[in-house]
Amino acid sequence: AECYADVIVIRHPQEGAARLAAGAARVPVINAGDGANQHPTQTLLDLHTIRKNFGRTSGLKIALAGDLKYGRTVHSLFQALLKFQGNEFVLVSPPTLKLPEYLLAEARSKNVRVEESTDLKGALQTCDIVYMTRIQRERFPDVLEYEKVKDTFVIDAAMLDGAPERLKILHPLPRVNEIAPDVDATAYAGYFPQVYNGMIMRQAILLRLLGVDV
């Protein structure tokens, strides 16, 4: 593939696939998502979105909600936000979809405050950001386990009654039913500008790797 392109962008269902490709290729390799592991370009656009909304990426209370076990976007974002001072986290998920232990251990090593919860409405009332994710059927080895948890957490406009004005709801998209359409028109919906920021960020990454100065 490197004979046909100046940059390789790879999305693959196997964890570590992008790293393996980068070790063999002579051109830059961008990880566009490797299984349930990481999604670094999504994290860059998420950090950009957070900074645009709050003017900072530190000193924030952030809820990560939904599939925290298999959700590669939250794995990358959580690790990135640990690098900034004063952030605290609420991890909202079903018991079977909790954030992996190695990520929790990393937070503990940095003395970062992390609370595990099943109270999505409470997170909407107390956090600066609620980062919602879908329950991904393709990640489950057993479809019955997916059916048990697929509708566990859903945000609708009624749940936002009394939420702080500063709250922003983010989502890596696509969504299934975890954010009701009636949330889209509220001031809390930050996921559509987030998508636009993704286009800009990925253009910037490609230009940087190609050595284009703008």
Side-chain angles (χ1 to χ4, degrees), residues 64-159:
L64 304 175
D67 180 358
L68 308 187
K69 179 178 181 179
Y70 299 111
R72 60 193 177 201
T73 58
V74 297
H75 298 168
S76 288
L77 182 59
F78 184 73
Q79 285 186 298
L81 287 170
L82 288 178
K83 297 180 181 298
F84 299 94
Q85 293 295 318
N87 288 325
E88 58 182 280
F89 298 88
V90 180
L91 307 177
V92 186
S93 71
T96 56
L97 295 177
K98 289 184 177 182
L99 197 72
E101 175 57 32
Y102 77 92
L103 292 171
L104 292 172
E106 184 174 346
R108 287 194 295 267
S109 73
K110 298 176 183 293
N111 295 316
V112 174
R113 183 177 177 182
V114 177
E115 173 192 350
E116 293 185 287
S117 174
T118 58
D119 183 9
L120 180 58
K121 184 173 177 57
L124 291 165
Q125 301 295 318
T126 61
C127 291
D128 301 301
I129 298 163
V130 171
Y131 193 95
M132 199 69 194
T133 65
R134 66 188 174 96
I135 307 296
Q136 304 172 78
R137 180 173 182 174
E138 64 270 24
R139 303 287 179 222
F140 283 77
D142 184 349
V143 69
L144 294 179
E145 290 302 312
Y146 166 76
E147 292 294 333
K148 290 179 184 177
V149 297
K150 67 176 182 177
D151 297 320
T152 307
F153 298 119
V154 177
I155 299 175
D156 59 27
M159 292 179 67

Side-chain angles (χ1 to χ4, degrees), residues 31-47:
N31 182 1
D34 61 328
N37 182 35
Q38 297 282 331
H39 198 343
T41 64
Q42 178 72 42
T43 289
L44 289 174
L45 77 91
D46 291 339
L47 292 174

